[in-house]
Amino acid sequence: MTQAPETTTFDQSAVDRAQAIIARYPQARSALLPMLHLVQSVEGYVSQEGIRFCAGQLDLTEAEVSAVATFYTMYKRRPCGEHLVSVCTNTLCAALGGDAIYKTLKDHLGVGHEETAGEPGTPGSITLEHAECLAACDLGPVLQVNYEFYDNQTPDKALGLVKALQSGEKPAPTRGAPLTDFKQAELQLAGFFEGRDADLDGPSAAPETLAGAQIAQERGWDAPQMPSNAEFPALPEKK
């Protein structure tokens, strides 16, 4: 079921994009995750109006949409800044300096977790968050800006990066696509690149990440193959 937008926040362009997302899936409800990214590309977060928009487009209840939007931390329930800065504070990054980086940025911006320095959505505004794990332990401590990686950080490097963002600059990530703003990143996560298709060609792996695979290739190492007649242990009986 397709419903027209109830307000001007989600205009016909948003409806058309929503229907394009739905068309990718055999069941409309499967489109909810990218649909929520689409909402964030419009609003900069997921508002109750955004919840209603998704529910109307997907023929779901608002409770069903809210259950998903509140489960995943990537969906924000308060307006984000122009840039979302995520500092990894999980065990390894924390031990290598992630906690110090987060504290440095927190003190500089004067905000805490999921709070915004500046008017949300305006140029130079920054939303800060600490992230549990950004899956880049070999390059820690790391942070992300709008989900693009900045590896091997220090408090001074991170502070310089944030100051550059506040002044309107977009320093190049260590790897990945050229930096854009939070809303544009969310539009890409919804599946719309609109002239930025080359972003897909950005380097995704660092030399440190590939070192083990390169050594194995040079030395002719292969992982042992599983025998075709391998026996698996019996499953325990259900009680």
Side-chain angles (χ1 to χ4, degrees):
M1 179 178 68
T2 303
Q3 293 183 1
E6 297 179 1
T7 71
T8 57
T9 302
F10 297 96
D11 58 14
Q12 189 59 47
S13 174
V15 173
D16 292 343
R17 285 171 173 162
Q19 290 303 302
I21 293 172
I22 292 170
R24 302 172 193 161
Y25 300 91
Q27 295 187 26
R29 66 183 301 134
S30 300
L32 179 54
L33 296 184
M35 188 84 78
L36 287 166
H37 285 299
L38 176 66
V39 166
Q40 292 199 137
S41 77
V42 175
E43 297 186 298
Y45 75 119
V46 178
S47 69
Q48 194 59 39
E49 183 182 346
I51 295 289
R52 287 194 296 271
F53 175 75
C54 290
Q57 295 296 312
L58 298 172
D59 197 18
L60 297 173
T61 66
E62 291 182 30
E64 289 174 309
V65 177
S66 294
V68 174
T70 56
F71 180 83
Y72 294 102
T73 59
M74 59 191 175
Y75 301 122
K76 309 305 181 186
R77 298 313 308 274
R78 290 186 290 182
C80 277
E82 179 186 22
H83 300 294
L84 172 66
V85 175
S86 311
V87 182
C88 185
T89 55
N90 211 338
T91 307
L92 183 57
C93 277
L96 292 173
D99 285 341
I101 291 171
Y102 180 77
K103 183 179 185 305
T104 296
L105 299 184
K106 178 176 178 290
D107 292 345
H108 169 70
L109 295 170
V111 299
H113 176 59
E114 292 190 340
E115 294 179 348
T116 300
E119 185 67 25
T122 60
S125 55
I126 304 285
T127 297
L128 180 67
E129 67 175 3
H130 62 77
E132 274 304 303
C133 182
L134 297 180
C137 300
D138 48 344
L139 298 162
V142 300
L143 62 80
Q144 289 180 334
V145 179
N146 308 327
Y147 305 116
E148 299 296 344
F149 277 100
Y150 293 80
D151 303 317
N152 296 311
Q153 289 293 297
T154 66
D156 287 343
K157 288 169 64 175
L159 181 59
L161 170 61
V162 165
K163 287 182 176 179
L165 295 172
Q166 288 180 299
S167 67
E169 300 176 42
K170 290 184 170 63
T174 308
R175 50 201 164 91
L179 187 64
T180 181
D181 59 36
F182 177 71
K183 286 185 177 181
Q184 179 64 39
E186 286 297 306
L187 188 61
Q188 292 186 0
L189 288 171
F192 302 96
F193 286 82
E194 302 188 347
R196 295 183 60 100
D197 298 84
D199 288 2
L200 296 171
D201 300 327
S204 59
E208 294 91 336
T209 306
L210 302 176
Q214 183 176 348
I215 292 172
Q217 185 178 25
E218 291 172 351
R219 300 184 181 183
W221 293 346
D222 290 311
Q225 295 184 353
M226 179 182 291
S228 58
N229 60 347
E231 295 185 6
F232 293 93
L235 295 173
E237 294 183 7
K238 292 185 178 180
K239 296 182 180 180

